[in-house]
Amino acid sequence: MICQQLELEKLSLDMEFTTTPTPPINGHTSLNSYTSSFTKFNSALTAGLLNPMSPPPRSSPTLIEMMASEPDIQPSIHCLPNLSVPVAPKLQISAEDKQALTMQRLSDILAARSPGNQFNDASSSDIKLALTSKDGITITMNVHRLILVAHSRFFAMKLSDRWIRQQRVSGPYIVEIADCDDVEVYIETLRLMYCKDLRKKLMKEDVTRVLGILKVSAAIGFDAGVLSCLEYLEAAPWAEDEEEKVVSLLTELRLDGAGAAEVLKRVSFEVNNAIEEERSENGDVLLNLLHVVLGGKDERARRDIKGLVSKMLRENSSLGDLRKESLYSACDVCLQSLRHHFVKAAASDFTEVGQISRQADNLHWMLDILIDRQVAEEFLRKWASQFELAKAHSSIPAIHRFEVSRVTARLFVGIGKGQILVPKDMRSLLLQTWLVPFYGDFPWMRKASKGLDRYLIEEGLGSMILTLPLAQQQDIFLGWFERFLNSGEDCPNIQRGFEVWWKRAFWRRSREEGRPRPLRITVATIDKR
């Protein structure tokens, strides 16, 4: 009791000393004096020193109690210096600046042309074509009458021999086209007339851009452009928002021929037909180096050199340094060796079973190179036709065979990302041959493959299935649904693709059924007797 009184007296002296007003700073009372005095007061109150009848002292107050005990001591905002940094106002781009940026971009597009291509070549052109957008932007390019007339029914009519005779100048002739929806897309469409391989050129574009090119091609009667765009749309995967754009545009254009119908079969229950295989032009230079890498003995060195060679080929993919035939001859050697060791292992001969994973890894590497060079379509055809391998697959322990399914998974991703464009019958055959073996190997791939991107594979598989006709989508997704419920983590999760199929199959159908059907009039024969 005496100790508590002594402490109380000492505290009161301290409080008298500390609560003495300090000189104001810039007209405001110092905050430190209030803070120290109330902190000591709060500590004493909490410890029971100000009330002899209080319960035994506690170790320390809680943060909430400290905040509640100092309700009036809030630092005034005026006591603190203003440290806020002024926010720079957002730059407002004027209409003139926007137009200048657009003109610069269009000029850059016109200036970018490969050697030997005559597009926008002022020295050889005989037509100056001026394109004007709806917002007043005008761009002029140099084109060739013979090329335009040969590829476009619109230009064949406008630039006819009769029109040439009516011109008072000898050339170059000036042609103007006004009210273009998108001048940039119009330029890209005209550039396609100068390309030897339209389909390969379109592979670099996305679905939205190809739809724009398709619209312009249809408007000017550029049949080759229309056909190439339709082939692209039939084979490429669509995002959900792109799907509506594709269906809407094709419905609006009402194109003749089977091309548009083939594209629309993806969202209907009808069946199929195919697309041409793409050509490629590469030289035969690094073939020996490829064979040395594929046959190397040291795995670590092989892995390092594979990365180096892939980088070199990727950086020089347009220089014709390796012919397509050379790449496929190397693939055939690996595939033949894989088949040989696969059949041996299926017959319980495991003397060289390690060659299965080695050759599968070689094929996976070669497939990456083919995809980078946009010539992987033939590989997919060959792999989809490996019925003997797929049949023997279940006879081999998963620990020896699962690397083979990495090749299948890479094809799924390639198709799902639009890197490999093949007809729907090939996509369907790949799934018929390898989907069940892939399901069986997926648990081992998930656990044993280093650096395996499970989510990339799942997204690729789902997107690939969605490129098939709706009836086939239904069969595959319903089969997956049952397998996933029974296997869980050991089955790839393609729920997102399943949801897209569900919307296509039921939502779209219910909306179509709700529309009034057109009146059909038939001729009736009346028998007068």
Side-chain angles (χ1 to χ4, degrees):
M1 188 71 175
I2 296 174
C3 293
Q4 286 184 345
Q5 289 177 348
L6 290 175
E7 282 289 325
L8 186 57
E9 291 172 358
K10 182 176 182 299
L11 177 62
S12 63
L13 289 174
D14 290 342
M15 290 178 64
E16 289 175 1
F17 177 76
T18 56
T19 54
T20 304
T22 58
I25 301 176
N26 296 333
H28 299 285
T29 306
S30 173
L31 203 59
N32 294 332
S33 61
Y34 285 99
T35 305
S36 63
S37 65
F38 271 79
T39 302
K40 290 182 179 181
F41 179 81
N42 182 49
S43 301
L45 181 62
T46 305
L49 298 179
L50 299 184
N51 185 0
M53 302 302 293
S54 61
R58 295 185 299 184
S59 59
S60 61
T62 65
L63 175 61
I64 296 178
E65 292 169 334
M66 293 174 65
M67 294 171 63
S69 64
E70 300 182 8
D72 298 324
I73 306 301
Q74 297 294 335
S76 172
I77 194 169
H78 301 292
C79 299
L80 301 175
N82 185 10
L83 300 178
S84 61
V85 179
V87 179
K90 293 184 178 179
L91 294 177
Q92 297 292 333
I93 302 179
S94 64
E96 292 78 7
D97 291 338
K98 288 182 180 179
Q99 197 171 55
L101 290 173
T102 303
M103 287 293 297
Q104 181 61 47
R105 187 176 72 254
L106 295 176
S107 299
D108 293 341
I109 293 174
L110 288 174
R113 59 188 181 92
S114 57
N117 193 312
Q118 290 185 315
F119 180 72
N120 199 37
D121 183 11
S123 61
S124 61
S125 69
D126 54 357
I127 298 286
K128 285 193 174 295
L129 183 62
L131 302 176
T132 303
S133 66
K134 292 182 178 180
D135 53 0
I137 296 177
T138 300
I139 195 78
T140 302
M141 70 187 76
N142 300 290
V143 291
H144 302 75
R145 174 177 172 268
L146 290 179
I147 293 178
L148 297 186
V149 168
H151 289 86
S152 164
R153 293 193 303 275
F154 169 80
F155 286 112
M157 181 179 64
K158 295 295 182 182
L159 305 179
S160 63
D161 294 339
R162 179 181 177 184
W163 179 84
I164 291 294
R165 290 193 297 268
Q166 292 175 349
Q167 305 306 306
R168 297 180 179 179
V169 294
S170 58
Y173 307 107
I174 300 176
V175 178
E176 297 181 359
I177 298 179
D179 295 332
C180 298
D181 290 333
D182 191 328
V183 172
E184 186 173 337
V185 171
Y186 213 107
I187 293 174
E188 293 296 342
T189 306
L190 294 176
R191 189 195 297 272
L192 285 179
M193 296 183 184
Y194 289 78
C195 294
K196 294 180 179 179
D197 193 339
L198 280 68
R199 191 163 171 266
K200 186 174 181 179
K201 174 69 175 175
L202 288 176
M203 287 184 70
K204 301 175 182 178
E205 308 291 353
D206 57 24
V207 172
T208 302
R209 175 55 64 89
V210 171
L211 288 174
I213 294 174
L214 173 60
K215 187 175 182 179
V216 174
S217 298
I220 64 176
F222 178 24
D223 294 335
V226 170
L227 179 61
S228 297
C229 289
L230 291 175
E231 290 177 346
Y232 172 97
L233 293 172
E234 194 284 323
W238 308 335
E240 289 187 56
D241 58 330
E242 293 172 340
E243 179 176 319
E244 292 297 330
K245 294 178 183 177
V246 172
V247 174
S248 175
L249 181 62
L250 293 184
T251 305
E252 173 191 341
L253 294 179
R254 299 179 181 275
L255 299 172
D256 296 331
E262 290 297 319
V263 177
L264 292 175
K265 283 180 181 177
R266 186 180 301 184
V267 292
S268 69
F269 278 95
E270 300 176 16
V271 192
N272 61 68
N273 229 334
I275 303 176
E276 280 294 315
E277 178 193 358
E278 122 184 272
R279 291 185 303 114
S280 180
E281 44 204 27
N282 295 313
D284 186 10
V285 176
L286 297 175
L287 181 59
N288 291 334
L289 178 58
L290 282 178
H291 283 294
V292 171
V293 174
L294 294 173
K297 303 298 183 183
D298 189 290
E299 287 299 322
R300 182 174 180 179
R302 261 173 25 102
R303 190 165 53 249
D304 293 342
I305 293 299
K306 279 182 178 179
L308 175 62
V309 174
S310 297
K311 179 183 176 183
M312 292 166 52
L313 293 176
R314 194 175 298 115
E315 291 175 350
N316 301 285
S317 60
S318 62
L319 299 183
D321 50 6
L322 194 61
R323 292 189 301 115
K324 172 182 173 181
E325 292 76 11
S326 300
L327 289 172
Y328 275 103
S329 68
C331 287
D332 289 340
V333 172
C334 298
L335 187 57
Q336 185 177 359
S337 177
L338 176 64
R339 277 198 300 261
H340 172 71
H341 292 98
F342 218 73
V343 172
K344 284 180 60 178
S348 302
D349 183 356
F350 298 105
T351 51
E352 293 183 307
V353 72
Q355 285 293 324
I356 293 178
S357 60
R358 178 187 179 90
Q359 298 304 329
D361 182 66
N362 283 340
L363 285 171
H364 190 277
W365 178 56
M366 292 299 301
L367 177 56
D368 277 334
I369 294 174
L370 293 172
I371 290 175
D372 282 340
R373 303 173 83 83
Q374 300 177 352
V375 290
E377 288 76 10
E378 184 61 30
F379 185 98
L380 188 147
R381 286 177 170 82
K382 291 184 177 183
W383 190 253
S385 303
Q386 297 302 312
F387 308 117
E388 185 181 9
L389 283 181
K391 184 177 180 180
H393 183 272
S394 59
S395 304
I396 302 173
I399 189 173
H400 300 308
R401 76 186 187 212
F402 75 91
E403 289 286 350
V404 172
S405 288
R406 289 183 61 234
V407 179
T408 304
R410 184 64 183 94
L411 289 170
F412 290 164
V413 174
I415 295 174
K417 295 179 69 175
Q419 297 169 330
I420 306 174
L421 303 180
V422 293
K424 64 176 74 67
D425 57 343
M426 282 293 109
R427 304 195 296 270
S428 177
L429 181 61
L430 177 66
L431 290 170
Q432 292 173 17
T433 306
W434 286 109
L435 184 58
V436 172
F438 170 78
Y439 282 152
D441 288 342
F442 189 77
W444 272 92
M445 292 173 58
R446 185 171 60 88
K447 297 172 184 175
S449 294
K450 294 182 179 179
L452 181 75
D453 192 336
R454 169 179 180 167
Y455 302 105
L456 180 66
I457 294 173
E458 292 170 339
E459 182 180 357
L461 174 58
S463 297
M464 176 188 173
I465 296 171
L466 291 172
T467 67
L468 298 174
L470 202 58
Q472 294 181 31
Q473 295 176 34
Q474 176 172 308
D475 292 340
I476 296 172
F477 277 121
L478 290 181
W480 164 84
F481 189 78
E482 181 178 357
R483 182 182 292 269
F484 184 74
L485 288 177
N486 294 321
S487 303
E489 283 293 305
D490 288 338
C491 180
N493 188 342
I494 52 175
Q495 291 185 41
R496 186 176 179 278
F498 182 87
E499 292 176 7
V500 174
W501 161 75
W502 182 272
K503 293 177 182 178
R504 289 177 177 178
F506 297 99
W507 290 11
R508 184 185 298 277
R509 194 191 310 171
S510 62
R511 284 185 299 184
E512 291 176 353
E513 290 175 354
R515 296 173 185 169
R517 296 189 176 183
L519 180 64
R520 299 182 62 185
I521 301 176
T522 59
V523 178
T525 302
I526 301 176
D527 188 8
K528 297 181 179 180
R529 292 183 179 177

